[in-house]
Amino acid sequence: MSDIARVGVVGCGLMGSGIAEVFARSGLDVLVSEASGEALELGRTRLGNSLATAVQRGKLTDEQRAETLSRIAFTTDLGDFADRDLVVEAVAEQEEIKNKIFQTLDQVIERRDAILASNTSSIPIVKLAAATSRPEQVIGLHFFNPAPVQRLVEVIPTLTTSAETTARTENFAVQVLGKEPIRARDRAGFVVNALLVPYLLSAVRMFESGVATAADIDKGMEAGCAHPMGPLRLCDLIGLDTILSIADSMYDEYKEQLYAAPPLLSRMVDARLLGRKSGRGFYDYTAS
């Protein structure tokens, strides 16, 4: 059995709220933090809406929804994470911010063998581990959106992660969360994004060069290759800023052209056309 019962999630955006929901639905004591009270309320609303949708779709009962919410507490003070057994960082893909969070968690968490995990898609885990005095307890635990639905998690040990931490993390993912873990080396993109992002960038280049419309590119992969969602709709779902951040990180590490972001992607991010979360990306969501 897992020795992890009290968990924390730093960040309550799209991924953080989803991870918190996964934890709470697994019967864990969950504490969620955000940088401000306003962001925390948005995250609380996002969590509530997701659980309400699960009830509407018959995935949860009203009683289970209420029980899940009762397991989640909220804070703006990382000092409240002192008693946590595992904490997952799920904030924006900015190395400086993540490093500060890991420094703080290292200082406040009392249990010396507590696991400090990151949900980063692109930043080397070992850089975050180096910000702490316990690098052997730091590991990547990468969920996929939407976290309550997607069964996969990537477990990413670093050169300094202990074998015990890796085993405990994988055991927790399987036995407590009911997820299917795969282990990846600590390299930009890990397994899934190293394969997925070049494909998405190729679709952006095709649209940019006028080969086909966004709708036809997506229809081609959905109807022709049985993909559940076309690449440009998937970009909008993930967030164009996230795609750009992952691509830039992978290009910085490998210097291979297939990881280079197309100019159109950069321009859309500059224009804050980020996809679903901003209302517009390759498609317009303002009417839906």
Side-chain angles (χ1 to χ4, degrees):
M1 292 296 294
S2 174
D3 61 339
I4 298 168
R6 296 181 299 274
V7 298
V9 181
V10 182
C12 200
L14 186 63
M15 288 306 303
S17 62
I19 294 168
E21 180 178 336
V22 169
F23 286 165
R25 287 172 66 168
S26 299
L28 299 163
D29 175 334
V30 185
L31 180 61
V32 182
S33 76
E34 259 294 357
S36 69
E38 181 181 4
L40 205 59
E41 285 308 308
L42 288 172
R44 192 196 301 266
T45 299
R46 186 179 291 110
L47 259 166
N49 290 342
S50 178
L51 289 169
T53 298
V55 172
Q56 292 171 0
R57 294 178 177 175
K59 304 296 184 181
L60 289 177
T61 64
D62 279 321
E63 183 179 0
Q64 289 170 327
R65 179 193 60 81
E67 289 175 355
T68 299
L69 285 172
S70 73
R71 298 187 187 106
I72 306 173
F74 298 87
T75 184
T76 56
D77 184 0
L78 288 180
D80 292 338
F81 284 80
D83 66 345
R84 299 293 100 176
D85 303 316
L86 175 147
V87 176
V88 176
E89 168 274 313
V91 302
E93 290 288 287
Q94 297 181 32
E95 187 176 331
E96 182 179 355
I97 294 174
K98 291 179 185 288
N99 274 332
K100 288 180 179 179
I101 289 170
F102 274 82
Q103 289 171 359
T104 302
L105 293 174
D106 182 40
Q107 293 167 4
V108 304
I109 293 179
E110 296 170 353
R111 181 175 171 180
R112 288 308 300 175
D113 67 344
I115 296 172
L116 306 184
S118 177
N119 185 61
T120 181
S121 301
S122 56
I123 295 171
I125 308 297
V126 74
K127 290 187 176 182
L128 306 179
T132 76
S133 65
R134 49 177 110 183
E136 67 279 2
Q137 305 304 133
V138 178
I139 196 166
L141 187 60
H142 184 218
F143 292 78
F144 292 83
N145 183 41
V149 175
Q150 300 281 29
R151 293 184 58 81
L152 182 72
V153 292
E154 290 177 317
V155 175
I156 308 103
T158 75
L159 294 172
T160 55
T161 306
S162 71
E164 179 185 4
T165 296
T166 303
R168 288 174 62 209
T169 303
E170 289 179 333
N171 177 69
F172 172 73
V174 173
Q175 294 194 11
V176 179
L177 305 183
K179 297 293 188 181
E180 297 181 8
I182 58 174
R183 192 182 298 190
R185 291 174 59 187
D186 186 19
R187 57 191 296 279
F190 311 135
V191 172
V192 173
N193 281 325
L195 295 170
L196 176 64
V197 170
Y199 160 66
L200 299 180
L201 298 179
S202 180
V204 176
R205 292 189 192 99
M206 180 175 284
F207 175 72
E208 183 179 42
S209 63
V211 171
T213 65
D216 282 348
I217 291 169
D218 284 342
K219 185 185 294 185
M221 297 310 294
E222 292 166 2
C225 296
H227 287 202
M229 181 179 293
L232 298 178
R233 287 193 186 279
L234 183 54
C235 285
D236 279 357
L237 178 63
I238 295 170
L240 272 62
D241 53 339
T242 300
I243 298 294
L244 179 61
S245 176
I246 297 170
D248 286 347
S249 178
M250 293 169 68
Y251 185 77
D252 286 345
E253 182 154 328
Y254 306 119
K255 300 297 188 292
E256 294 185 15
Q257 192 62 31
L258 77 164
Y259 300 129
L264 176 63
L265 181 62
S266 299
R267 298 296 181 274
M268 291 178 74
V269 172
D270 289 342
R272 306 305 293 169
L273 302 176
L274 307 180
R276 284 187 175 275
K277 61 185 173 185
S278 70
R280 281 184 60 197
F282 290 103
Y283 296 89
D284 189 337
Y285 304 94
T286 54
S288 58

